Structure formats: structure tokens, C-alpha cells
């Protein structure tokens, strides 16, 4: 097995003013190059987990290792944040500069990259998210999806090994959501960047390799999406809806249609239904 | 309605003046202010006026853009001049009104005050018209950075200005949205006396402030996640470098300053 990028061991965390734990005995592990999802309702602790993963918060107990470095050790902080970038939910509240290029440069300036090396890295990062032609635009003239891709470019330029996305598509329209998710899939596939995709959209989680489901600061279920989403009753108990296709397949199975297990996506479900119908008409 | 507000007054064309180093332009402005205040007689204003005309020519900014900055100040301008005409002391009495005398010296000095004010506005306008706000901030930061030794927060101030510039359009957009939402529910922002209008602003300002604070918290988090830790050890994408034109501009300003001093002294 490859080395783990994120290694969380029995971590608990509570906010100062709160008496309940926002994070309760959480353990998880994300291997290098993986595309994992964290799924949960509002208030289940997803953002708290994200902030624990790059040292914005430190665990009350337990240990968080990023690329083998302990977040609790102050001298690792900047190394950790450079290796594990983070994209947040609101596209407007994470862009610092008034020009796209300058914003992508922000992280590079912070880690002290030589000015002569910056233009090349900025260009490559913008190219990787398909935003190169917008390099001289003012961020407020861009769409939500475009702003999120700029935010991703700002992280990419720092050449991280992993990126945490904390509901990066939650405030976007369906078009923007698709364009950002596709850009991230491409980065994972072509650049081998480890992705931790935090979301409350089933459809997105269903396209990841492994899903952690959170509730009340705990991880209540985990596994490959095919396993996790094939238990609609269990999902319902957690107040989560399985992807529409999975729910449809489940109902059809209940109604007596012989469909194979682990159906998550509309297209494969449609094909499977068509196959079952053909079998039926032949018989 | 808020979207009509333009941000700063940068006039984006290409010119010799636009391409000068922002640090040099700030220094030139300071020297120009010195020249304006050094001018001691009417003749001494001539080279200063000639300089601003020439500079505006080189900047490809229409001269009337420079004059536009004076409009909002016209009342202060008239008020200053008139007040000084009445109350400055002088010898050669032109008109005796009983409660005040109008003298030749007072009229001349008052007119000089007016000219100074106009020239000051024009020189500062030339700077802001030919320098993008972010570039200006950059220049200020680097001019002031030696003061970091005495704990002057040059980097922090520049960062604050950059963020303000970045968020003004976002907040204006948001204010516009809130205003429309409140208008749809019958709020009236445009009629009534000053007090009524100020009252109508409360339901606009409260949500705007709440959201601005939330944004500030989010942004601080995002900046930290991108390894921001103050100005120490930070490099910059845009490297400022003085070029030949910058030194020529400085030389021209020195010539102006010298001629103003000479004319004020000896003519
Ligand atoms: N800054 C904070 N101070 C106190 N409590 C917080 C803070 N942020 C989040 N919480 C609480 O922690 C819990 C988890 O929140 P969060 O991690 O933001 O969840 P999610 O991102 O899944 O919506 C919630 O009960 C929330 O009220
Ligand atoms: Mg959240």
C-alpha cells in the first residue's frame, strides 16, 4: 500500500465556547493519489475535520499526520499547508487579489518563491484548471465556477500533494458544479494529486473511490460507494438520500426486477434496466 | 444604482507617465506639493502650471479629466478665496466696507491660495489617473517598508488596502442585492428628508455588516491556509525597478523646483 497522505488517529476536538465535541474519536486514512469523499449533513463536523487536516485547528486529543508530519508540531505548519492545500465553500471569500494572476501568486509569495519562477508556475496552474485566458481579469467579473477554479489554481501553483475541498461546489449552479468537479477529477487523474472531497451531494460522493459518512462529529459509515449506497434504509436513518439512481434501482429490485447490486449512476442503471427488460420479454 | 459608482479614477491607457515606477510617481507628487507651496509670487506659478500641462500631455489623459477633480471642491475653493479676500490684512486699500477692508495684497494672496488648491488637486489626480490602485498600494508599501524597522506596519497597511480594493465591488454588489430585496418589500431609500433616508439605510447596513464580518473571518482562514504569515520572508510577483524614464522625470521635477525657488526669490 502507498503511504498515507492524511492519517487521523482517534481525534477529538471541541470549540472553546461549546460543551459538545465537534469531533469525537475520528480515525481515517487517505492514501497518496486517492480520491476520497467525506459526506454528511450540515453541522455534522465536515468543516471542522477539514480544518484539523491542515493545522488550522489542533486536535484536543489524538493525532493528525499529514505526509507523515504531525500538525501539532508548530514547525511543520507551513510545510503541511503547502503540501495539503484547501479550497473553501464561498468562492468570493477566498480570493485575495484584484487580478486573477496576482491571486494565484499569493500563495507563492507567502512561501517565498523567487519572482523569476512565479510566472511559469502561475501559467501552468491556470492552464491546469483551464483558466489561462482569464489571467488578467478582475475576479468579481467571473462566474462562481470560474472563481473556484481560480482558487484551485492558487493552491496548485504551490505544488501540493493533496487538496482538501470543503463543499467547494455547494454555492455553485449545476453548470459550475460540473465544471469544478470535472477539473478536480482531471487533476487527480493526470497529476496524481490526492483529493479529499467534502460534500453533501450524494452524486458527487458516488463518483469517489471511498466514502466516509459523518454524523455528529463521528464517522458512522465508510466504504466504497457501491457498498455504502446500496443500503438505502441505513442511509435514510442517517437522514441522507442515496443517489437517485441507487434509490430507483433499489425500488425496482423490491418490485421484483432482477438488477445487479451496486448501481449508483443513472447511465449504468438505465443500461441495467434495459437489459433486465430484454431478458423479461424473451422469457 | 450603486453599480454606477466607479472605483477610484484610474484611466487605463498606455503612456510614458503610466509606465513610471509608482514609487517615483509618489515622490514626484510630494516634490510637486513642495513646489506648489514654495511658489511665492504669481510668476512662480507659471512653470508649475506648464509642468502639469506637459505631464498631462505625456500621460494621454484628457486635460478635462484632471479638471474634473476640482468640481467637488468648488465650494470650498470659492469659500476659501472669498473669506481670505475679506479677512487677510494688507496695505493698499481697494474697498472699505466698514466691517472689513479689501486690500490689494489680500486679493493677490487669496488668489494664490485658490491656485495652490487647484494645482494640488490636479497633481494628485494625475497620480491616481495614471496609476492603478493596486500598483499605487504596491508602491506605497515599498516606499514605506524601510519604516518597518521602527515597527511601522507598511506591509499590513498595504495588505489592508489591497483587500479593501478587492472587496469593494463584492460588497457593492451585495448592497445592491439587499437594497433591491428591501425595495421589493416596500422599503424606500430615495425619498423623505435626511433623517428618514438615514433610517431607511439601517436595514441595509445591518445585514451588510454581518456579512462583511463573516467574509473577513472566512478570508482570514483562507489566507492562513495559503501559508500567509505576514510580510516576513514574503517575495513578490511584481518586482519594481526604476528605469531611465523614472530618473528623467525626477530630473525634470528638480528643474521645476529650482525654477520655482529662483523665481520666488529673485523676481
Ligand atoms: N467557530 C465555531 N465555534 C463554535 N462551534 C462551532 C464553530 N464552527 C462550527 N461549530 C459547531 O461544530 C459543529 C460542526 O460544524 P461544522 O464542522 O461547520 O459542520 P459542517 O461543515 O459539516 O456543516 C456544529 O455543531 C457547529 O455548530
Ligand atoms: Mg461546512
Amino acid at each position: 500500500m502507498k503511504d498515507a497522505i492524511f492519517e487521523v488517529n482517534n481525534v477529538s476536538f471541541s470549540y472553546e465556547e461549546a460543551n459538545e465535541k465537534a469531533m469525537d474519536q475520528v480515525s481515517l486514512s487517505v492514501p497518496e493519489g486517492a480520491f476520497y469523499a467525506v459526506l454528511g449533513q450540515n453541522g455534522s463536523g465536515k468543516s471542522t475535520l477539514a480544518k484539523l487536516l491542515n493545522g488550522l485547528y489542533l486536535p484536543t486529543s489524538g493525532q493528525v499526520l499529514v505526509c507523515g508530519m504531525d500538525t501539532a508540531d508548530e514547525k511543520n505548519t507551513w510545510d503541511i499547508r503547502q503540501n495539503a492545500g484547501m479550497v473553501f465553500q464561498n468562492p468570493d471569500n477566498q480570493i485575495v487579489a484584484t487580478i486573477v494572476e496576482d491571486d494565484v501568486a499569493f500563495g507563492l509569495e507567502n512561501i517565498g518563491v523567487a519572482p523569476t519562477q512565479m510566472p511559469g508556475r502561475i501559467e501552468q496552474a491556470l492552464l491546469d484548471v483551464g483558466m489561462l485566458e482569464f489571467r488578467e481579469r478582475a475576479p468579481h467579473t467571473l462566474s462562481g465556477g470560474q472563481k473556484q477554479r481560480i482558487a484551485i489554481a492558487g493552491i496548485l501553483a504551490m505544488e501540493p500533494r493533496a487538496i482538501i475541498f470543503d463543499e467547494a461546489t455547494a454555492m455553485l449552479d449545476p453548470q459550475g458544479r460540473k465544471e469544478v468537479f470535472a477539473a478536480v477529477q482531471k487533476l487527480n487523474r493526470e497529476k496524481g494529486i490526492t483529493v479529499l472531497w467534502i460534500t453533501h451531494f450524494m452524486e458527487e460522493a458516488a463518483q469517489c473511490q471511498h466514502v466516509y459518512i459523518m454524523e455528529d462529529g463521528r464517522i458512522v459509515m465508510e466504504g466504497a460507494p457501491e457498498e455504502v449506497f446500496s443500503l438505502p434504509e441505513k442511509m435514510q436513518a442517517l437522514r441522507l438520500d442515496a443517489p437517485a439512481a441507487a434509490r430507483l434501482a433499489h425500488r425496482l429490485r423490491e418490485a421484483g426486477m432482477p438488477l445487479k447490486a451496486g448501481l449508483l449512476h443513472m447511465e449504468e442503471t438505465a443500461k441495467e434496466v434495459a437489459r433486465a427488460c430484454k431478458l423479461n420479454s424473451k422469457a | 444604482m450603486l453599480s454606477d459608482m466607479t472605483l477610484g479614477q484610474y484611466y487605463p491607457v498606455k503612456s510614458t507617465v503610466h509606465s513610471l515606477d509608482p514609487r517615483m510617481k509618489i515622490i514626484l507628487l510630494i516634490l510637486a506639493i513642495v513646489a506648489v507651496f514654495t511658489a511665492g509670487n504669481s510668476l512662480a506659478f507659471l512653470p508649475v502650471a506648464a509642468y502639469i500641462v506637459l505631464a498631462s500631455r505625456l500621460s494621454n489623459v484628457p486635460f478635462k479629466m484632471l479638471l474634473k477633480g476640482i468640481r467637488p471642491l468648488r465650494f470650498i475653493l470659492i469659500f476659501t478665496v472669498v473669506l481670505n479676500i475679506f479677512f487677510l490684512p494688507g496695505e493698499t486699500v481697494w474697498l472699505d466696507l466698514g466691517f472689513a477692508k479689501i486690500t490689494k495684497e489680500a486679493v493677490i494672496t487669496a488668489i494664490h491660495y485658490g491656485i495652490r488648491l487647484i494645482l494640488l488637486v490636479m497633481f494628485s489626480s494625475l497620480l491616481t489617473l495614471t496609476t492603478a490602485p493596486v500598483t499605487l498600494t504596491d508602491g506605497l508599501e515599498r516606499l514605506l517598508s524601510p519604516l518597518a524597522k521602527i515597527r511601522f506596519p507598511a506591509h499590513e497597511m498595504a495588505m489592508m488596502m489591497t483587500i479593501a480594493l478587492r472587496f469593494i465591488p463584492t460588497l457593492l454588489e451585495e448592497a445592491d442585492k439587499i437594497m433591491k430585496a428591501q425595495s421589493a418589500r416596500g422599503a424606500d431609500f430615495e425619498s423623505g428628508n435626511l433623517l428618514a433616508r438615514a433610517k431607511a439605510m439601517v436595514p441595509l447596513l445591518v445585514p451588510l455588516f454581518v456579512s462583511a464580518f463573516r467574509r473577513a473571518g472566512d478570508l482570514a482562514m483562507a489566507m492562513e491556509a495559503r501559508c500567509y504569515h505576514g510580510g516576513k520572508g514574503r517575495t513578490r510577483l511584481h518586482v519594481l525597478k526604476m528605469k531611465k524614464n523614472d530618473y528623467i522625470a525626477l530630473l525634470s521635477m528638480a528643474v521645476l523646483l529650482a525654477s520655482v525657488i529662483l523665481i520666488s526669490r529673485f523676481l
Side-chain angles (χ1 to χ4, degrees):
Chain A
M1 198 182 112
K2 280 185 187 168
D3 287 344
I5 289 274
F6 297 111
E7 183 82 59
V8 177
N9 298 321
N10 286 318
V11 163
S12 297
F13 176 83
S14 25
Y15 287 97
E16 262 168 41
E17 59 268 41
N19 30 23
E20 258 178 69
K21 282 183 181 168
M23 194 74 14
D24 191 8
Q25 295 287 319
V26 166
S27 295
L28 60 82
S29 168
V30 182
E32 172 131 49
F35 197 127
Y36 276 26
V38 174
L39 184 66
Q41 287 286 314
N42 255 337
S44 58
K46 304 183 299 294
S47 297
T48 310
L49 173 66
K51 286 165 188 166
L52 281 160
L53 285 177
N54 68 353
L56 287 169
Y57 296 158
L58 298 179
T60 325
S61 71
Q63 192 186 37
V64 179
L65 297 175
V66 181
C67 306
M69 295 176 281
D70 193 335
T71 58
D73 190 344
E74 227 173 87
K75 70 175 197 294
N76 291 335
T77 304
W78 309 115
D79 248 0
I80 286 174
R81 291 188 189 158
Q82 192 236 307
N83 276 303
M86 187 148 147
V87 176
F88 296 82
Q89 180 171 1
N90 190 326
D92 276 320
N93 299 357
Q94 53 188 321
I95 293 178
V96 186
T98 48
I99 295 167
V100 165
E101 235 177 0
D102 292 6
D103 189 73
V104 178
F106 180 73
L108 298 178
E109 297 177 326
N110 291 336
I111 57 176
V113 171
T116 47
Q117 287 186 15
M118 285 193 212
R121 284 169 75 163
I122 293 167
E123 199 165 308
Q124 186 60 46
L126 284 170
L127 195 66
D128 288 338
V129 296
M131 289 293 292
L132 191 55
E133 73 242 62
F134 297 91
R135 61 194 299 172
E136 284 175 7
R137 286 277 284 274
H140 72 269
T141 64
L142 303 177
S143 75
Q146 291 172 329
K147 281 186 229 177
Q148 281 308 58
R149 286 193 280 156
I150 295 304
I152 297 172
I155 305 288
L156 268 187
M158 294 167 80
E159 296 173 353
R161 288 167 72 183
I163 307 182
I164 305 156
F165 293 85
D166 185 3
E167 302 205 46
T169 55
M171 294 183 69
L172 306 181
D173 55 21
Q175 172 60 32
R177 199 175 298 159
K178 252 186 235 150
E179 111 199 359
V180 169
F181 195 69
V184 175
Q185 282 180 312
K186 184 164 160 257
L187 291 178
N188 175 257
R189 208 171 46 234
E190 290 173 8
K191 305 225 135 192
I193 289 177
T194 310
V195 172
L196 187 63
W197 186 263
I198 297 174
T199 183
H200 64 255
F201 294 118
M202 305 303 134
E203 270 72 16
E204 288 174 358
Q207 296 180 57
C208 299
Q209 295 163 353
H210 194 92
V211 185
Y212 288 103
I213 297 184
M214 288 196 74
E215 168 139 304
D216 292 334
R218 279 168 296 127
I219 288 179
V220 288
M221 227 202 302
E222 71 162 296
E226 292 81 9
E227 302 162 24
V228 172
F229 294 131
S230 59
L231 308 163
E233 284 85 14
K234 188 126 190 231
M235 299 292 296
Q236 226 155 30
L238 295 168
R239 286 178 294 132
L240 289 167
D241 287 323
R247 272 180 292 148
L248 176 66
H250 187 71
R251 287 282 169 82
L252 288 172
R253 256 185 240 116
E254 276 182 344
M257 198 180 255
L259 299 179
K260 70 175 186 189
L263 289 172
L264 290 180
H265 306 290
M266 263 318 167
E267 221 162 285
E268 53 167 350
T269 309
K271 276 192 195 129
E272 178 69 10
V273 170
R275 192 190 58 81
C277 287
K278 249 185 237 151
L279 272 182
N280 203 22
S281 60
K282 269 186 210 147
Chain B
M1 37 201 137
L2 284 170
S3 45
D4 314 333
M5 249 167 85
T6 50
L7 216 190
Q9 46 171 356
Y10 181 54
Y11 193 82
V13 292
K14 284 203 159 48
S15 82
T16 335
V17 181
H18 283 73
S19 63
L20 289 180
D21 189 302
R23 292 171 296 179
M24 184 53 85
K25 281 193 267 191
I26 296 168
I27 294 171
L28 291 176
L29 175 65
I30 295 169
L31 293 177
I33 293 173
V34 172
V36 167
F37 279 102
T38 314
N41 55 36
S42 307
L43 215 53
F45 285 112
L46 271 182
V48 185
Y51 192 90
I52 188 88
V53 171
L54 189 72
S56 82
R57 270 297 182 75
L58 283 173
S59 71
N60 290 340
V61 176
F63 196 68
K64 70 169 193 292
M65 293 290 295
L66 281 186
L67 296 174
K68 245 171 94 179
I70 300 168
R71 251 182 80 86
L73 290 175
R74 61 193 185 279
F75 293 114
I76 295 180
L77 190 64
I78 294 167
F79 187 70
T80 318
V81 173
V82 171
L83 211 66
N84 280 305
I85 286 179
F86 282 109
F87 296 113
L88 279 176
E91 320 240 290
T92 330
V93 177
W94 276 355
L95 195 65
D96 196 337
L97 297 169
F99 66 93
K101 292 189 191 73
I102 293 180
T103 63
K104 178 184 162 196
E105 289 79 8
V107 171
I108 291 175
T109 313
I111 288 173
H112 284 179
Y113 281 170
I115 294 175
R116 284 204 184 99
L117 199 60
I118 290 173
L119 286 172
L120 283 185
V121 172
M122 286 172 71
F123 273 113
S124 352
S125 295
L126 190 63
L127 176 67
T128 49
L129 283 164
T130 61
T131 320
V134 184
T135 316
L136 198 57
T137 312
D138 240 20
L140 264 178
E141 175 180 357
R142 270 170 260 199
L143 266 184
L144 296 176
S145 60
L147 296 181
K149 281 197 193 71
I150 57 164
R151 302 245 175 126
F152 183 81
H155 166 75
E156 286 75 7
M157 275 179 52
M159 184 55 84
M160 261 163 55
M161 281 193 319
T162 309
I163 290 172
L165 288 169
R166 152 75 186 85
F167 277 93
I168 286 169
T170 308
L171 290 177
L172 279 180
E173 217 171 84
E174 187 163 15
D176 216 27
K177 234 187 261 164
I178 299 173
M179 247 162 136
K180 281 191 184 120
Q182 309 272 26
S183 300
R185 287 184 233 153
D188 183 1
F189 293 103
E190 271 148 16
S191 56
N193 59 19
L194 206 59
L195 190 67
R197 268 196 272 179
K199 257 185 172 165
M201 292 304 268
V202 173
L204 168 68
L205 290 179
V206 171
L208 201 58
F209 265 93
V210 171
S211 121
F213 276 105
R214 203 196 52 235
R215 282 182 197 285
D218 280 4
L219 185 70
M221 207 51 107
M223 285 169 71
E224 259 193 79
R226 287 168 78 182
C227 295
Y228 180 69
H229 50 285
K232 222 176 135 211
R234 211 162 177 263
T235 48
R236 298 307 304 271
L237 169 64
H238 302 291
V239 185
L240 292 182
K241 205 163 177 291
M242 296 276 183
K243 292 189 285 284
K244 203 173 89 190
N245 275 348
D246 293 297
Y247 296 110
I248 295 176
L250 184 62
L251 188 68
S252 72
M253 184 53 80
V255 171
L256 174 69
L257 203 53
S259 53
V260 168
I261 292 172
L262 288 176
I263 294 172
S264 303
R265 267 279 171 95
F266 301 110
L267 289 180

